[in-house]
Amino acid sequence: MGCDGGTIPKRHELVKGPKKVEQVDKNAALVARWNYCAISQAPLRKPIVSCELGRLYNKDAVIEYLLDTSPEKCIIETATHIKSLKDVKELNLTDNPAWKGDKANTKGDKYEDLQGAAFICPVVGLEMNGRQKFCYLRVCGCVFSDRAMKEIKTEVCHKCGESFKDDDVIVLNGSKEEMADLRRKMEERKLKAKLMKKAKKSKATEAVLKSALSEEISGPSTQKPKENKVIIDKKASAFLSITSTVNAQSSSFSTSTASGKACKPASGIAKRSLAQTGEKSEAYKSIFTSHSSAKRAREQKPNWITHTAYYY
């Protein structure tokens, strides 16, 4: 049962067991989520934006993704809910004075600290490396650690002084449960905004219709009573002048007809028919059988008439 050299094999060396599930390195996952863009996978550089689900993006990557309308566009799962720049918020980050960036290990002969971060919390001073919870305010975009928000409970931003509500606090790179909660809040907020927009449109149309109806019924009500009196007096004087001119024209017309002068009929007066005037032309009279042209002598009348004449 022995092998060369007098060794005895063990069971785990002869029998293959089930493969172990490969686990992702936590440090590598934190670095990928907090130091790289969720769309382009490039290192995060200012200006940095975040969506309502708490993911981090480079602003130029988001703009390029939105402008790309080609059919060959690669749809990214982390950006399907972003339809315009209104769906993201530019973050107001605080730089870490101890961060040296990529210049610290240019030769590769120094230890690279993965827990270091380019940004910190302005209140507590914690580094934004994923080890601690961070959040931002949807109103102003300022970023703070979760510890600072819990220890100093205020309704005003610690950095810019703008007021906010509890729903405006969005966790950055949260867990699955926190992401589901943020997604639900985002959908409710969008639905509420749509309903408010429709209500404003309906109110605006109702106001326009009411103003139009009031103007048609009662006329313009913005004029003062004195101005109304002046307008009425002007209208009355204009009406009197028009009536006086009409009366003068009618009197002149009657005098001209009485004197025997010919005058042209007004364009608005309808012409009389020939039957009413009594004067008929010869062409009109020739239509009837009583006219002299319709009367024939006996010599002109035929001897017989066939009522049913057939021609073969």
Side-chain angles (χ1 to χ4, degrees):
M1 295 295 293
C3 297
D4 295 341
T7 58
I8 299 172
K10 295 181 181 179
R11 184 179 184 279
H12 70 275
E13 294 176 355
L14 299 174
V15 180
K16 293 182 179 181
K19 292 183 178 180
K20 293 183 179 180
V21 179
E22 295 181 358
Q23 295 181 357
V24 181
D25 188 9
K26 292 183 179 179
N27 292 329
L30 289 175
V31 170
R33 295 176 69 185
W34 289 89
N35 295 339
Y36 293 89
C37 174
I39 293 177
S40 62
Q41 302 302 321
L44 289 172
R45 296 287 183 270
K46 284 186 176 181
I48 299 172
V49 297
S50 178
C51 62
E52 295 188 13
L53 300 181
R55 296 190 181 102
L56 299 174
Y57 312 91
N58 285 328
K59 191 173 182 179
D60 55 353
V62 175
I63 293 171
E64 290 177 0
Y65 179 77
L66 294 174
L67 291 176
D68 187 7
T69 57
S70 61
E72 299 176 356
K73 177 181 178 181
C74 181
I75 298 173
I76 301 171
E77 294 182 359
T78 57
T80 52
H81 60 284
I82 299 175
K83 305 299 181 183
S84 65
L85 286 177
K86 293 181 180 180
D87 297 331
V88 295
K89 183 71 178 179
E90 187 173 347
L91 300 180
N92 187 8
L93 297 162
T94 304
D95 296 328
N96 186 6
W99 174 252
K100 296 181 181 179
D102 299 333
K103 297 179 182 179
N105 194 13
T106 54
K107 297 181 180 180
D109 57 349
K110 294 182 181 179
Y111 172 72
E112 186 176 358
D113 188 10
L114 297 176
Q115 296 184 7
F119 309 106
I120 61 173
C121 174
V123 179
V124 184
L126 293 174
E127 293 185 350
M128 198 175 76
N129 54 9
R131 303 284 177 178
Q132 302 290 335
K133 271 188 180 181
F134 271 75
C135 57
Y136 79 94
L137 304 179
R138 194 171 56 86
V139 180
C140 56
C142 296
V143 181
F144 303 98
S145 63
D146 188 59
R147 184 188 297 179
M149 298 296 291
K150 288 180 178 178
E151 289 181 357
I152 307 172
K153 294 183 177 180
T154 59
E155 296 180 354
V156 179
C157 178
H158 301 296
K159 195 171 183 179
C160 63
E162 192 168 353
S163 60
F164 65 92
K165 298 179 182 179
D166 294 336
D167 293 337
D168 296 329
V169 180
I170 296 176
V171 181
L172 291 171
N173 289 327
S175 60
K176 291 182 179 180
E177 292 79 9
E178 291 172 345
M179 293 273 284
D181 189 21
L182 290 173
R183 187 179 291 276
R184 180 182 57 80
K185 289 181 180 178
M186 179 184 68
E187 291 175 355
E188 290 178 356
R189 197 179 295 115
K190 287 183 178 179
L191 181 61
K192 187 177 179 181
K194 285 183 181 179
L195 294 175
M196 291 288 290
K197 193 174 181 180
K198 288 182 180 179
K200 285 181 180 179
K201 284 185 178 179
S202 61
K203 286 181 181 179
T205 52
E206 286 178 2
V208 170
L209 290 173
K210 285 181 181 178
S211 62
L213 289 172
S214 62
E215 287 179 359
E216 287 180 0
I217 294 168
S218 60
S221 60
T222 57
Q223 296 177 350
K224 295 180 181 180
K226 291 182 180 180
E227 294 177 356
N228 289 334
K229 287 181 180 179
V230 172
I231 291 167
I232 291 167
D233 294 338
K234 288 181 179 179
K235 288 182 179 179
S237 61
F239 180 75
L240 291 173
S241 63
I242 290 166
T243 52
S244 62
T245 54
V246 169
N247 293 329
Q249 289 178 359
S250 61
S251 62
S252 63
F253 178 76
S254 60
T255 53
S256 63
T257 52
S259 60
K261 293 180 180 179
C263 60
K264 295 182 180 179
S267 60
I269 301 171
K271 294 182 179 180
R272 293 182 180 181
S273 63
L274 294 171
Q276 291 177 356
T277 55
E279 297 176 359
K280 302 178 179 61
S281 62
E282 291 295 328
Y284 177 77
K285 292 177 182 180
S286 65
I287 298 172
F288 303 96
T289 56
S290 59
H291 192 256
S292 61
S293 63
K295 295 178 180 181
R296 292 180 294 180
R298 290 183 179 181
E299 295 83 9
Q300 295 177 353
K301 290 182 180 180
N303 296 324
W304 55 272
I305 298 172
T306 57
H307 297 279
T308 57
Y310 296 97
Y311 300 94
Y312 297 94

